[in-house]
Amino acid sequence: MTIRVLHVASELYPLLKTGGLADVTAALPVALIEQGADARVLLPGFASVAAGLADLRPVARLSRSFGAPEASLELGRLPGSELPVYMIRADALYDRPGNPYLDAEQVPYGDNAQRFALLGWAAAELAQHADPDWAPRIVHAHDWHAGLAPAYLRAAARARGHGDPHSPLSSSSSPRAGVRSVFTIHNLAYQGIFPAQQFDLLGLPADFFDMHGVEFYGQLSFLKAGLYFADKITTVSPTYAREIQTVAQGCGLEALLKGRAHDLLGILNGVDYAIWNPAHDDAIATHYSSAHMSGKQRCKTALQTHLKLAQRHDAPLFGVVSRLTEQKGLDLLLGALPEIVARGGQLVVLGTGDASLEQGFTRAARQHPDAVAVELGFDETLAHAIVAGADVMVVPSRFEPCGLTQLYALAYGALPLVHRVGGLADTVVDTSLENLADGLATGFVFERFEPDALAAAIRRAFALYARSHDWRETRARGMEQDFGWAASAQRYMALYRELA
Ligand code: ADP
Ligand code: GLC
């Protein structure tokens, strides 16, 4: 039996991307199709989505529009791909320039509850055959934006008289027929919290506003809706799946997650090697591969030239490509920056976010123009050029559900330097003496989120860099790691089969 699965999300590379979510929602459905699934994606019709999809055609009018004059479903595909993508056309809610979540002042849009309720609602409508030609058996919702999809599905199932085995809301204990749901946590820290009064806008049964439901400390939480109502919960690494069941990292949801531990699974993200491969990446200066590494040196020189750094072959070049937020731990790196410069290294930072971090790195670049370069903004091409030109990619995150940059770094022969949390812990092996001796090391891992621990890892990077044979061997090992999507897609397929 072919499994029909609808991925519900707010971002999709290359149409709209603010972080790793977009990389995942673009690659995972394609990997699932390669595993035999019939996968489609549902997105809000943000301006860049409506402009970027090919062959759009109307499919259905939606029966609710959450304040927009009307809302409808269209079906198209990603240009250059066969992946079918549904888009919600509701221009009053979605057709706004810039960031999909924030206005020009970086403040969340006042109608975000309606904007993302419509996303969940449309998913549930598709599950109920809004498109007469295709309906999913599995609705797979990603992050809080899609968190109401499982809630609307549950409401619809109840309206049809199907009970719910694990919900205290159910009036009957008969198994739910039909569509099943999966909710994936890409980041527990973003919760989609709204004032309780906005619950009435959602059109959910009144008793869903409950501790056993969408209520979270007196407010409305889209994330909790997904966690509570989905049949299965996944997150993007095995370690993060454990971490979020603790008070330290559960963001107030640890009890719920612990209670649902038997339904919670960590499945590591993958890399789309069609996009992230130095052997045929058109965004980098010269192609290279583990068998032919000379191109990497040329990428480094090109990057130094482009960013007006001293063109020094022998200076270990540390790179950062990141959202500049609390999560990413770059305040710690800012503190360790003198260590890098004093030892003769260079640092390149590409990112945008917190003003204090932007200013801090900009100041450092002004103080050390030969050694430190900072580009504020979001620039996909430069991101590739940095990963290709860097010797080390630094990801010192306080917490990291999976992290993709360290995986891209491995593929490009830039040794990842990471804090041992979440997906970083699952994907990078430290260059301790024993790991080097046993041929396991792929990067630098520090345990405690403390300045001295990061500084020690940086010193370890310099020490290994000075031993060029060990450096090359470690780099080659990193480049051989296979983090392709196939293995992860198989795990999702097994989960879907179990549900269906
Ligand atoms: P997160 O999703 O938490 O931001 P990930 O490591 O999973 O972290 O994914 C980040 C993705 O966003 C990667 O594809 C990375 O290259 C990209 N990225 C982050 N910041 C920038 C930027 N300023 N310019 C270009 N790409 C960026
Ligand atoms: C989130 C997480 C990141 C993860 C990405 C894709 O943005 O912060 O760790 O890699 O989602 O799952």
Side-chain angles (χ1 to χ4, degrees):
M1 180 191 64
T2 306
I3 292 185
R4 287 187 308 277
V5 55
L6 179 70
H7 285 264
V8 189
S10 63
E11 300 186 21
L12 183 72
Y13 175 86
L15 302 183
L16 180 64
K17 167 169 166 176
T18 69
L21 173 67
D23 291 357
V24 174
T25 55
L28 174 58
V30 174
L32 291 167
I33 290 170
E34 278 161 16
Q35 299 292 328
D38 179 359
R40 298 187 175 191
V41 178
L42 169 67
L43 294 172
F46 299 123
S48 63
V49 172
L53 287 174
D55 306 337
L56 273 175
R57 62 174 174 81
V59 165
R61 254 190 90 132
L62 290 167
S63 57
R64 277 175 184 272
S65 60
F66 296 89
E70 58 180 342
S72 61
L73 275 173
E74 298 182 12
L75 178 61
R77 59 174 179 84
L78 266 181
S81 138
E82 294 304 310
L83 181 66
V85 181
Y86 290 100
M87 180 194 96
I88 305 164
R89 175 81 69 178
D91 288 349
L93 294 176
Y94 301 135
D95 186 16
R96 301 171 191 175
N99 186 288
Y101 319 115
L102 313 172
D103 67 19
E105 271 74 53
Q106 306 301 305
V107 176
Y109 286 114
D111 56 356
N112 272 353
Q114 291 98 309
R115 297 171 80 224
F116 293 102
L118 179 56
L119 179 62
W121 174 259
E125 290 274 274
L126 272 167
Q128 293 164 87
H129 298 266
D131 179 352
D133 296 330
W134 191 90
R137 179 87 168 95
I138 307 279
V139 169
H140 188 153
H142 297 267
D143 268 357
W144 75 262
H145 322 106
L148 289 193
Y152 285 122
L153 284 172
R154 183 69 61 87
R158 192 165 71 172
R160 284 197 311 275
H162 295 294
D164 162 12
H166 82 245
S167 169
L169 298 168
S170 65
S171 50
S172 115
S173 60
S174 67
R176 270 163 295 152
V179 180
R180 315 304 301 271
S181 59
V182 176
F183 182 79
T184 294
I185 306 163
H186 294 265
N187 195 330
L188 201 66
Y190 297 94
Q191 304 198 338
I193 305 270
F194 301 96
Q197 303 82 288
Q198 298 200 6
F199 177 76
D200 290 341
L201 303 169
L202 307 182
L204 283 167
D207 59 352
F208 278 31
F209 193 80
D210 188 87
M211 190 176 104
H212 301 288
V214 305
E215 185 265 354
F216 186 59
Y217 293 102
Q219 292 186 291
L220 162 64
S221 165
F222 278 39
L223 177 69
K224 191 176 164 202
L227 298 180
Y228 186 80
F229 288 109
D231 294 307
K232 292 282 181 189
I233 304 167
T234 73
T235 188
V236 286
S237 71
T239 294
Y240 193 60
R242 288 192 299 277
E243 289 169 345
I244 57 179
Q245 297 179 52
T246 66
V247 176
Q249 292 223 48
C251 301
L253 289 158
E254 58 277 0
L256 193 172
L257 289 164
K258 238 182 140 137
R260 296 207 63 193
H262 53 292
D263 290 324
L264 168 62
L265 188 65
I267 302 179
L268 204 64
N269 284 334
V271 174
D272 185 344
Y273 290 116
I275 294 167
W276 291 94
N277 183 344
H280 44 73
D281 181 339
D282 290 333
I284 67 178
T286 311
H287 293 162
Y288 61 91
S289 63
S290 58
H292 301 280
M293 283 302 286
S294 58
K296 179 148 181 89
Q297 187 60 254
R298 286 201 285 281
C299 288
K300 180 171 171 178
T301 309
L303 182 64
Q304 289 168 327
T305 312
H306 177 68
L307 297 173
K308 303 189 174 61
L309 292 172
Q311 281 182 30
R312 289 185 35 214
H313 285 196
D314 58 336
L317 196 156
F318 293 74
V320 171
V321 176
S322 183
R323 294 185 290 115
L324 302 182
T325 61
E326 163 97 4
Q327 172 190 348
K328 299 297 178 177
L330 293 163
D331 43 325
L332 205 64
L333 179 63
L334 201 52
L337 198 145
E339 180 84 40
I340 294 179
V341 176
R343 289 177 181 267
Q346 297 181 328
L347 174 68
V348 168
V349 177
L350 168 63
T352 167
D354 292 357
S356 65
L357 287 169
E358 292 192 350
Q359 285 155 14
F361 283 110
T362 305
R363 210 175 305 123
R366 239 184 273 122
Q367 278 163 5
H368 310 284
D370 284 352
V372 181
V374 176
E375 290 286 319
L376 302 178
F378 200 93
D379 183 339
E380 194 74 34
T381 305
L382 184 58
H384 284 243
I386 292 174
V387 182
D391 297 302
V392 178
M393 288 295 295
V394 192
V395 192
S397 310
R398 282 189 169 74
F399 67 94
E400 196 60 76
C402 177
L404 294 171
T405 347
Q406 83 280 10
L407 301 180
Y408 301 154
L410 287 169
Y412 281 66
L415 275 54
L417 191 160
V418 305
H419 179 210
R420 200 167 79 85
V421 280
L424 301 172
D426 293 339
T427 53
V428 183
V429 181
D430 184 47
T431 49
S432 61
L433 272 182
E434 62 275 24
N435 285 337
L436 271 179
D438 292 347
L440 298 171
T442 58
F444 310 98
V445 184
F446 64 98
E447 298 275 331
R448 288 168 298 109
F449 190 83
E450 301 285 347
D452 66 316
L454 172 60
I458 289 172
R459 280 159 49 212
R460 212 151 57 249
F462 276 95
L464 194 74
Y465 194 75
R467 291 159 52 173
S468 56
H469 172 78
D470 287 339
W471 184 273
R472 283 200 300 270
E473 209 171 83
T474 307
R475 187 172 68 179
R477 188 175 306 115
M479 293 178 81
E480 280 156 19
Q481 306 291 308
D482 179 4
F483 285 103
W485 269 104
S488 307
Q490 278 163 17
R491 295 204 174 90
Y492 283 110
M493 287 298 278
L495 183 70
Y496 298 160
R497 281 201 202 95
E498 185 190 331
L499 277 175

